Amino acid sequence: MRPLSPSLLAAQRDPSSEPVVRLVFSARIAETARLRWERLWSAQEAQSPHAAALTGAATLLRFRVAGGVLQAQRTPNPGPGSDFGAWAALEPAAAAGVGAAAAGARALVAFVGPDGVSVRVRESVDDGVTFGSATVVATAGAPVGFVALALRPDGDAAALYTVGATLYAARRTGGVWGAPTAWPHAVASFSGVSATYAGDVDLALAGVATGGGKRLWTCVLGDGDQYPPGQWGPLVELMAAEPDSPVSFSRPALVFADRPRLFFVESSAGPAAYTRSCWTALAPGALFGSDRWREPVPLDVAGSEGVAAVASSSHLWLSAPTLVWRAALTPETVDVSADVLEVETDDGPEGGRLRVTLRNDHGRYRDGEGPLAEGWEAELRVGYRTSAGEETVRWQRYWVDGWREERGPGRSTVTVTATDAWGLLAGWRARRQFAWPGGAATVFELLAAVLGRAGLRLVSLNGSAALGSLQPAFAIHPGVDGRTAVRALLAMVPDALRFDGAEAVASELSAEEPPSYEYGAAHPWLRLSPEGVVSAANRALVTGSGVSAEAFDWTSVEASYDRLVHIEDRNAGDEAAAAARAATALRRLALAQDAGQATVRPNVGQELYDVVRFADAGAGVDVVRRVRGLSLRFRRRGRPVFELTLRLSPV
């Protein structure tokens, strides 16, 4: 149950308290700002290696190698009307990768000398007005392919570059570049590298794995945050295409904006050939170096060189020789609270819905804008007017999936419908095969990876031991949606999942859990109809890899004989594992029973799976149930309504 202040708790128990409903729509999805790109410049230019950096004084620096020359462009306070067409030559360079980074007034650009083997860095300390002469950071024994830069605020830096199938890192400390060292990982080849500094040196890389498959990876070079200085983290796969697939990945561009965002080029040499940019973002709260990235989304940018990406506190910028785009990072918001006429929610174990009716006689709400824009986030808050003023708590977040306008004599309304995070999860479908061998990841890690593909995060609150220890073999086939995959994983453990906005909370629902709230003398119910329903099964048989085990509800078996559910689970490798799976199956069936419902004046702290008591000594009622569904109703017009219906199950 959500914590409530004493004044809010008192108000919800007072029948005379005035309800308060707040509803705000914003251009976000799963806590990530939706980017509305503004095209500032475009031109017909040749594709070429390029990079960008943004200084502390909001000066956009762009670099490219064209005609065998490193060229630069400096644009203070870029915006509509800025000239992005003029370039200044710096010095001769090989047509290889370019990297750039900036911090405060300092900016660095890394490139490959005309000899093809020397990695050079030029530096500016005056916001890009002038650049010093080049410093040779390293001289390779073979042609350099790609380069990247990461810059700390104190001026220390790392230059990354590829030679064949090896990535090297040279560190600058106290103004002195050290000898380059090779990373510990093995790949077959590279098709791009990008780096940025965020406590460690964080990298995105594209190329071909040693087995021949095309890959997009992330990796971390420690600098004291996640890893000690100089220590490499693991190579983490974000995207994969098998050796016989025509799809490949290249030119990653990593940027830390409102959250880590990654742009890259995806190409196909198949019958329907294409080359396009894509973007992805790290799921809320996830560590860089994890696989919690949302499914990449195509971006309407063509070209094999992709884009460079930089960010300020307010905007994200994309740059290429052919374009400059920007998008605001602060989501647009629309507070519709004053126009709310009716609200209905229905939240259950595998999905929640919002339906809200707004007055629109002022014509404020229009197709494609605000509440009538596909995918916008709706945050519903409910509460009461208390002795401390208007107090509300967040009930849930939903995402718009439809709307309908109604007009009549003297009235105009708009009804908006939205789904909760289960709907976002159902909207993700696997584009390829995902497979984890037994022992590779726990159920918690597998759930987090699937949820991350929909941009959602996972936390455990009183989760079971199996959630963090069971490491099953698991696969997601192409076309399978995220909700189906999550159901399959949850069937293996005695945990339930509920969403709080974009955060999924996994918890084991103990039959011994005490009530968190009581309805009765202090908070009377309006209607109560407890029920008892026989479970679909009282005996579970699990067969695994040469083993089997059973679980029984002996009270039910003795009362009405056995009703069997049979589960085949190849992950059950011993009797203990099979027995645990059988017990989990019976427990899930018990919790799925309908044990009645109750309608109450809304307890705004109530959450899915809370255990509650209904007690009235005078009426001889003392019932303990678990909340398996909540339906909230609010109506301002006509006969006012503010009530909450709880669908109940056994504890």
Side-chain angles (χ1 to χ4, degrees), residues 277-325:
S277 289
C278 299
W279 70 268
T280 179
L282 195 62
L287 287 175
F288 193 89
S290 71
D291 60 354
R292 314 296 194 255
W293 293 79
R294 68 150 292 121
E295 188 69 37
V297 180
L299 189 66
D300 189 16
V301 175
S304 60
E305 293 290 339
V307 297
V310 293
S312 67
S313 59
S314 61
H315 287 83
L316 177 60
W317 300 79
L318 296 185
S319 168
T322 59
L323 64 87
V324 177
W325 288 4

Side-chain angles (χ1 to χ4, degrees), residues 96-152:
V98 182
R106 187 188 306 273
L108 276 68
V109 57
F111 59 101
V112 181
D115 57 11
V117 296
S118 59
V119 178
R120 307 182 181 193
V121 173
R122 294 186 63 161
E123 182 173 14
S124 171
V125 293
D126 56 8
D127 206 44
V129 175
T130 60
F131 280 86
S133 58
T135 297
V136 176
V137 172
T139 301
V144 175
F146 302 95
V147 297
L149 271 173
L151 178 62
R152 288 186 5 171

Side-chain angles (χ1 to χ4, degrees), residues 428 430 432-436 446 450 474-481 485 489:
W428 174 75
R432 60 180 175 89
Q433 178 91 356
F434 292 82
W436 294 265
L446 294 171
V450 176
F474 188 70
I476 305 174
H477 301 296
V480 172
D481 68 85
L489 287 165

